[in-house]
Amino acid sequence: MIITLAQTKGGVGKTTLAVNLAIERVLRGKRDVLLVDADDQGTAADFTALRAERLNGNTGYTAVQLSGAAVRTQVLAMRSKYDDIVIDAGGRDTAGLRAALTISNVALVPFQPRSFDVWTLAKIGQLVSEAQIINPNLQAFAVINCADPQGSDNAEAAEALTENPSIVYLAAPIGRRKAFPNAASQGLSVLEVPHPDSKATNEIKLLADKLMAALAVPAD
Ligand SMILES: Nc1ncnc2c1ncn2[C@@H]1O[C@H](COP(=O)(O)OP(=O)(O)OP(=O)(O)O)[C@@H](O)[C@H]1O
Ligand SMILES: [Mg+2]
């Protein structure tokens, strides 16, 4: 399965969710996992470099950096070697993001429960619809990141999404928790730190489970 973290807005948690999901896949079944950093900022690659340093090279997944059309051609060439591929496509509308969407099963769209982010979903919806012309298997799911603990505006954000037919709301919100930056600063996922935050670990597991379950049901 190929999952692309897709959001043209910056700083919404694409890299955070990409690395946590890639590592969740590894921990779940020791599967062969590929993490593709398609963002020229190289944050996922930096995370992997730190992780390799901390874990004596045993990152648990393979990491590559790709850009532009190579995201499509290289990933297609490597696809058969991996059970799961996670692509961090960066925070702009780039050739790399568009290329990733043409080969992905899932576009996972993190957004923060504020109205501005909700508007940017329309732009992603358009990119998804365009990619679906050549990749009818693509399904897009939006997930709230940095959720407000009260949950009040989360419900509003979920409601706003119902107006966007090409993106389905996935009810697995990720809270704003220090556990995420703390784990990342050690080159780890929230699942691996010595004293895990059980809320953060449960959220990542639930997100992965809901994604897998949603994919098991074919789109109409
Ligand atoms: N759920 C969360 N709780 C707390 N902090 C978070 C959470 N998700 C992300 N962050 C923090 O927010 C910042 C932006 O997150 P991240 O780098 O994952 O976003 P991004 O979408 O990849 O950004 P960019 O568009 O620049 O690539 C980081 O400092 C990250 O640690
Ligand atoms: Mg990023």
Side-chain angles (χ1 to χ4, degrees):
M1 159 155 352
I2 306 180
I3 301 173
T4 291
L5 275 292
Q7 229 316 359
T8 51
K9 186 172 163 59
V12 292
K14 294 176 295 293
T15 305
T16 300
L17 295 184
V19 302
N20 277 282
L21 280 174
I23 295 167
E24 193 277 344
R25 295 285 84 202
V26 173
L27 297 175
R28 188 62 70 106
K30 300 188 178 68
R31 295 161 66 91
D32 290 320
V33 175
L34 177 68
L35 176 64
V36 178
D37 191 343
D39 180 359
D40 53 18
Q41 291 185 107
T43 317
D46 290 345
F47 170 87
T48 304
L50 172 64
R51 180 172 176 81
E53 204 178 292
R54 297 290 174 100
L55 301 178
N56 299 317
N58 300 315
T59 56
Y61 57 80
T62 303
V64 292
Q65 278 184 279
L66 297 171
S67 64
V71 177
R72 177 184 164 87
T73 53
Q74 295 292 310
V75 172
L76 282 179
M78 291 186 280
R79 178 164 65 178
S80 62
K81 288 192 219 148
Y82 296 96
D83 298 304
D84 287 311
I85 300 175
V86 179
I87 305 176
D88 179 1
R92 286 172 299 121
D93 175 4
T94 59
L97 169 59
R98 288 172 180 256
L101 292 178
T102 66
I103 51 160
S104 296
N105 304 94
V106 175
L108 183 62
V109 184
F111 72 107
Q112 296 179 356
R114 294 189 306 259
S115 57
F116 183 67
D117 283 17
V118 171
W119 286 113
T120 66
L121 288 169
K123 170 70 184 164
I124 302 291
Q126 194 187 330
L127 289 178
V128 167
S129 301
E130 284 171 22
Q132 280 167 335
I133 297 167
I134 49 168
N135 178 16
N137 292 328
L138 179 66
Q139 294 186 65
F141 299 101
V143 62
I144 290 177
N145 184 37
C146 292
D148 142 36
Q150 307 307 321
S152 54
D153 49 15
N154 298 347
E156 278 173 40
E159 177 65 29
L161 256 175
T162 58
E163 290 167 23
N164 197 320
S166 53
I167 306 179
V168 173
Y169 176 66
L170 202 64
I174 306 288
R176 180 184 292 280
R177 306 189 188 285
K178 288 203 175 92
F180 288 99
N182 285 350
S185 68
Q186 302 169 65
L188 299 174
S189 77
V190 292
L191 307 168
E192 303 169 295
V193 289
H195 302 288
D197 173 335
S198 61
K199 288 185 176 157
T201 59
N202 288 340
E203 285 168 353
I204 289 295
K205 287 180 185 168
L206 181 71
L207 174 59
D209 287 347
K210 288 226 169 189
L211 260 184
M212 298 305 145
L215 283 170
V217 181
D220 15 89

